[in-house]
Amino acid sequence: MAEEYAVPKLENFLAEALSESANGLRAALNREVSRLALGAFQAAKCKAPFEIEVKAFRDRWLGRKTGIVTQINEVWLRAAPDEHKKAVGQIVNELRAEIQREVNEAVDEARAASLLTPSELREVGADFRQFFLESQRLDITLPGIRRPIGAEHPVIRALNEIVAVFKAMGYSVSEGPEIETDYYNFVALNFPPNHPARDTQDTLFIAGQQSKPPRDRLLLRTHTSPVQIRTMEKLAPPIRVVIPGKVHRNDAPDASHSPMFHQVEGLAVDTNITFCDLKGTLDHAMKALFGSSVRTRFQPSFFPFTEPSAEVAISCIFCGGKGCRTCKQGGWIELLGCGMVDPNVFEFVRNNGYDPAKVSGFAFGMGADRIALLKYGVDDIQLFFQGDVRFLEQFA
Ligand code: DAH
């Protein structure tokens, strides 16, 4: 739909600008006369009253207070400096006469058309169709409206890059819900009820759940690990899967923390999966993400759902491991947690083919926002979530 015409201010009062503006107004009048006529024929066809539309059209152009004729008097003639008044006055007079003649004609014709009987309508049918086609005319040579296409968000880009590295090794991709039950977020991952390891997760609970059994209570997932269980419930071994997603914790925002952030989880289960497979896989993934000169370091750690567990660091990508401000002089940057899937976890999905005596597996979880900060050289995680176009545009 064309935009509603409004009388524009004149850029200057020279002949060229004047006639351009006058032509713009004439084109608008033409369009609106066609629209009125079309409406009149349609009203006749369905025997609807049309007088209100006719009056509105007349007022829009000739209304004494705010009609377009009054407006061009104000905006064009009255605003003209003295030396241009005469020329502007002449054009405004011509336009006024034209508008009065055409609007009055259009009003008479529309009233008559809106009252045509079905047989009269049939007689003018051919004209009407022609008229209708004319009114739908579209100039395809006019330049289109260009909309900005936006840019991939840096965190999404990091998620995609991480997922791509694992896809290339044959992993599939899975997702799970952000609102999760206590069972999937904790119980099935070997966090027993009231176990202190739960405290490390700063969980945001959903209110009003006291009447439910503890394991069914809802919370915002604190990690993507619950999707390990959901995936093993659906798919029997062997599996290789990565799980990107959003997670939430009750953390105060600062340059390196956000109460909402992103992780990529990984899980591989088969017969005879060993810690060597885990080391080789993650060493390769870190080299693919940060460059082939990056080294990895595995240190013992603890997670309830892996045994043994490890914390993985990469050699600092800024100083090559010599020590700098980013790695706090240590030469290493801690990046993810991992380990061999704890047999207790397999017990929760044993019936789907995960007998802990027969299968083994490894799992890992990494923060995607942190990886995006490092890869793209951003020094404040808050920049990712403030929606400032000047920041995001740099990733276009
Ligand atoms: N879920 C852990 C966290 O958010 C990260 C993690 C550690 C995931 C070890 C794993 C793993 O799959 O094996 O702190």
Side-chain angles (χ1 to χ4, degrees), residues 201 222-223 225 228 249 263 265-266 303 305-306 337-339 363-365:
Q201 301 264 327
T222 58
H223 49 179
S225 305
Q228 288 188 29
R249 287 188 197 179
Q263 292 186 330
E265 190 81 15
F303 298 100
F305 40 92
T306 43
C338 64
F364 56 86

Side-chain angles (χ1 to χ4, degrees), residues 184-217:
Y184 286 108
N185 199 80
F186 290 123
V187 175
L189 288 166
N190 199 32
F191 290 79
N194 305 316
H195 191 279
R198 288 176 175 232
D199 297 347
T200 64
Q201 301 264 327
D202 300 306
T203 311
L204 292 161
F205 294 93
I206 292 181
Q209 308 268 307
Q210 287 76 1
S211 62
K212 290 186 185 167
R215 51 176 273 153
D216 294 340
R217 292 184 194 165

Side-chain angles (χ1 to χ4, degrees), residues 79-93:
D82 284 343
E83 68 268 31
H84 292 300
K85 273 236 159 46
K86 197 166 160 213
V88 177
Q90 205 174 339
I91 291 198
V92 167
N93 281 343

Side-chain angles (χ1 to χ4, degrees), residues 365-384:
M366 59 186 92
D369 322 76
R370 209 102 195 271
I371 290 174
L373 290 173
L374 293 170
K375 273 182 77 89
Y376 311 135
V378 177
D379 61 9
D380 185 347
I381 194 175
Q382 299 303 321
L383 287 166
F384 288 149

